[in-house]
Each structure stands twice: as C-alpha cells, then as structure tokens.
Amino acid sequence: QKEVEQNSGPLSVPEGAIASLNCTYSDRVSQSFFWYRQYSGKSPELIMSIYSNGDKEDGRFTAQLNKASQYVSLLIRDSQPSDSATYLCAALFFGNEKLTFGTGTRLTIIP
Amino acid sequence: SQTIHQWPATLVQPVGSPLSLECTVEGTSNPNLYWYRQAAGRGLQLLFYSVGIGQISSEVPQNLSASRPQDRQFILSSKKLLLSDSGFYLCAWSQQINSPLHFGNGTRLTVT
C-alpha cells in the first residue's frame, strides 16, 4: 500500500527560528507533492506544491523534494506564532486520481 | 476564481437519523470531487471521489453513500447514522489529476 509518513510531533520551535517539517513516501514514481496547513477546527489550506527535485520557495516557506531518497520537507523561516498549526504532507502516486495524506505534524511556535 | 461551498457548518443528529451534506463548486467545470472525514485528532480519511457526473468511487465500506447529480454538486448521505459517523467532513475539488485539492470549510457532525 502506498503511504505517506510524517512525525506526528508536537514540534516546538521558538519564534523567529526555522521550523523544519519532514515527510517520507513509499512510491518511488510519485509525481506531485503538496503541503497543507490546518488550524485547529478548520479545513486544510494548501500552502505549497512541488513537482520536481530541488527547492521551491514562496515567501517564508521552502519546500524541498528529493525523489531519490523519497522525502519531501517544508521549511518555515522566521517562524511566527500564527504558524502554529498541523501541517499535512500529501503525495499523488502514479496512476491514482487521489492524494494520499500523511497524518500531519503539529507545530507550535513559542513566543 | 473558483470557490467551494459546503453546508451546514455544524450538525447534531441522533443515532439512526438520516444525513445529507451538500457541496458545490463554482468557477470551474468538470472538477474532480472528494469527500473526506477527519475524526478528532486523526488524519484525513478519503470516503468517496468522483471524476464526473454519476461516477462515484468508494474508498471504504460503511453506511455512507455519495452522489453527483450535477457537474459541480456532490452529496454525502446516510440512511441511518451511527455514533462512529461523528467527525469533521470535508468536501474538496481538484481541476485535474496532477493538481492539488482545495477544501471547503467542512461540516462538523456530532451523532448523539
């Protein structure tokens, strides 16, 4: 079964530091990867998409993809208390019409 | 721009009662549509997805069903709710297979 795995946390990071969230996946030929942020009681919100090896930057967020090692990560620079949320990693496996989600990592930014 | 509407936001229903949750998408045509459930403190569980009108794929056997009567309308139903049906129900859409999902605001269902 194709899977996406994340450390459930909680991960605590001081305000202003870099938060690093990691995700591994089981299928070497996965095509597309996404990071979602979910605040408590709210629906997931897409924050990053990445499709090719390397880094993709968007403001304070950087997604990193390494297909050879089958991991994708999300870096949050200059962490703010408003970044406190659960971050979900998702992968689109080859031949599927649906995303597979990890169980999420709960991030807490400490003021 | 595309928007997704999901209602109601919260719902409290007794065990054995029926359920109907509705989701509509605006600003796009022929979207892929999805129903997810998230139990408290748990991950997202895909319940149903649809790639077109009348085409429904079920991911898990249970007492829920889904229908897509129109291109941009997706309905989740149950004839008789169980306590275990409580959770946060999320509708989502994507434009094509290689694109991300966009979620509605969700329905928090409590079965009592």
Side-chain angles (χ1 to χ4, degrees), chain A residues 88-102:
Chain A
L88 301 169
C89 173
L92 186 66
F93 293 117
F94 183 77
N96 280 7
E97 298 94 359
K98 50 195 183 296
L99 291 184
T100 298
F101 283 87

Side-chain angles (χ1 to χ4, degrees), chain A residues 32 36 38 43 92 97-98, chain B residues 34 38 49 97-98 101 104:
Chain A
S32 308
Y36 288 82
Q38 186 175 23
S43 62
L92 186 66
E97 298 94 359
K98 50 195 183 296
Chain B
Y34 306 82
Q38 188 175 39
Y49 70 97
I97 290 185
N98 201 34
L101 297 185

Side-chain angles (χ1 to χ4, degrees), chain A residues 7-110:
Chain A
N7 187 321
S8 62
L11 176 65
S12 296
V13 174
E15 183 176 357
I18 296 175
S20 178
L21 304 162
N22 299 310
C23 172
T24 58
Y25 57 94
S26 62
D27 187 351
R28 184 171 294 275
V29 296
S30 294
Q31 296 176 303
S32 308
F33 304 87
F34 308 95
W35 282 99
Y36 288 82
R37 178 177 61 200
Q38 186 175 23
Y39 292 116
S40 180
K42 302 296 185 181
S43 62
E45 172 192 13
L46 178 69
I47 54 173
M48 290 287 284
S49 304
I50 188 165
Y51 302 95
S52 56
N53 276 328
D55 295 0
K56 179 182 178 182
E57 186 174 320
D58 184 1
R60 295 186 297 111
F61 298 97
T62 299
Q64 300 174 319
L65 174 60
N66 184 323
K67 290 191 175 182
S69 300
Q70 296 176 225
Y71 82 80
V72 57
S73 61
L74 179 70
L75 302 178
I76 307 174
R77 291 182 300 281
D78 188 23
S79 297
Q80 303 296 312
S82 60
D83 295 326
S84 297
T86 295
Y87 289 80
L88 301 169
C89 173
L92 186 66
F93 293 117
F94 183 77
N96 280 7
E97 298 94 359
K98 50 195 183 296
L99 291 184
T100 298
F101 283 87
T103 54
T105 297
R106 187 154 56 92
L107 174 66
T108 300
I109 305 302
I110 304 170

Side-chain angles (χ1 to χ4, degrees), chain B residues 75-95:
Chain B
I75 298 172
L76 182 69
S77 304
S78 174
K79 292 182 179 179
K80 289 185 178 181
L81 284 169
L82 307 172
L83 286 174
S84 57
D85 291 324
S86 294
F88 191 38
Y89 287 82
L90 292 156
C91 181
W93 74 275
S94 67
Q95 186 55 64

Side-chain angles (χ1 to χ4, degrees), chain A residues 92 95-99, chain B residues 29-35 46 48-59 66-74 92-98 101:
Chain A
L92 186 66
N96 280 7
E97 298 94 359
K98 50 195 183 296
L99 291 184
Chain B
S29 59
N30 197 30
N32 295 332
L33 297 173
Y34 306 82
W35 279 110
L46 179 62
F48 301 94
Y49 70 97
S50 172
V51 299
I53 296 175
Q55 300 178 61
I56 308 295
S57 296
S58 174
E59 289 295 297
S67 62
R68 186 170 177 173
Q70 301 180 40
D71 181 44
R72 290 168 290 175
Q73 183 184 29
F74 205 23
W93 74 275
S94 67
Q95 186 55 64
Q96 54 191 20
I97 290 185
N98 201 34
L101 297 185

